[in-house]
Amino acid sequence: MNYDIQNDIAKILLSEDEIETIVKRISAEIDAHYRERDSRLLLLGILKGSVVFMGDLMKHITVPVEIDFMKVSSYGAGTVSTGSINIMLDLYRKDFANTDILIIEDIIDSGRTLSYLVEYLRLKGAKSVRTCTLLDKPSRREVDFEADIVGAIIPNEFVVGYGLDYDEKYRALPFVGVLKPHVYSGEA
Ligand code: PRP
């Protein structure tokens, strides 16, 4: 790795063991909810942050699943949010009416991304649309949105690892950690 974890990470928020426990709990929940359905279950990962969580989840889920991905970006990120979402990679399916979609996210912050996507996929005609996030920061919410499945509720700290980045770095860390402020404030 081309960064110094000891120097960049203030503390571990979720260890590898804690994440594994969460993944097992959530996959059992998904199995129970989607058991005995005729429709197809699609795990829809939102790039890029969800990839590690989604990869672990799909290994533990025992009901048949399909996977696909969307990529979105919000306009005005880092400034005043306009609430507009830009679809960079769309989802194409012939059989939305027979597809139960479970959106997989790494984190909910303002809630704008998921609240937009749920509406968007319902309008496309999906049989059902539910949401699953590893992390939830309810203190940052700007729109009224609750995920159906939440791994852990976390405080408003700058978290990286297990898919989450700062400036595209740290995604490969196997745990979720809090970034030291000097890394993103640019101070030594
Ligand atoms: C993050 C995260 C969600 C979104 C949540 O993605 O993965 O998609 O932001 O924020 P919201 O609740 O305020 O809408 P990001 O734009 O950082 O892209 P990335 O996953 O590629 O890092």
Side-chain angles (χ1 to χ4, degrees):
M1 287 181 226
N2 59 356
Y3 39 80
D4 179 354
I5 292 172
Q6 297 302 324
N7 194 40
D8 295 356
I9 304 298
K11 65 178 174 187
I12 292 179
L13 205 59
L14 290 178
S15 68
E16 288 187 69
D17 284 352
E18 287 168 326
I19 291 172
E20 190 183 342
T21 302
I22 289 170
V23 166
K24 285 180 177 168
R25 167 176 58 83
I26 288 179
S27 45
E29 229 178 285
I30 292 170
D31 280 344
H33 187 88
Y34 292 99
R35 194 173 295 138
E36 291 170 17
R37 287 179 184 232
D38 296 332
S39 43
R40 302 164 77 160
L41 171 57
L42 177 69
L43 301 184
L44 179 62
I46 308 306
L47 298 171
K48 305 175 192 168
S50 69
V51 291
V52 185
F53 180 41
M54 178 136 150
D56 276 352
L57 262 187
M58 60 191 277
K59 287 187 288 185
H60 287 85
I61 294 170
T62 61
V63 296
V65 293
E66 301 171 24
I67 63 164
D68 215 326
F69 298 91
M70 287 183 72
K71 183 166 172 55
V72 298
S73 71
S74 49
Y75 290 116
T79 57
V80 178
S81 176
T82 61
S84 301
I85 303 289
N86 190 18
I87 295 181
M88 319 291 285
L89 175 66
D90 206 346
L91 173 67
Y92 296 96
R93 278 184 84 85
K94 291 182 186 146
D95 60 345
F96 272 103
N98 192 36
T99 304
D100 293 303
I101 297 177
L102 182 61
I103 305 175
I104 309 295
E105 267 287 24
D106 53 340
I107 190 165
I108 306 179
D109 199 333
S110 71
R112 291 189 186 279
T113 302
L114 275 184
S115 107
Y116 175 87
L117 281 174
V118 167
E119 183 64 17
Y120 179 79
L121 294 164
R122 283 187 178 145
L123 286 172
K124 288 249 190 191
K127 184 173 183 188
S128 70
V129 183
R130 297 173 77 244
T131 56
C132 170
T133 186
L134 174 69
L135 306 173
D136 189 359
K137 274 187 185 175
S139 61
R140 294 268 299 168
R141 210 64 104 246
E142 293 172 16
V143 295
D144 188 16
F145 185 86
E146 297 301 324
D148 297 293
I149 304 173
V150 176
I153 291 173
I154 61 166
N156 185 20
E157 294 184 294
F158 202 132
V159 286
V160 294
Y162 199 69
L164 292 113
D165 77 310
Y166 167 66
D167 196 20
E168 295 301 328
K169 293 186 285 239
Y170 309 100
R171 293 195 198 271
L173 295 178
F175 55 82
V176 175
V178 176
L179 200 59
K180 285 187 179 173
H182 79 82
V183 179
Y184 52 86
S185 67
E187 290 164 20

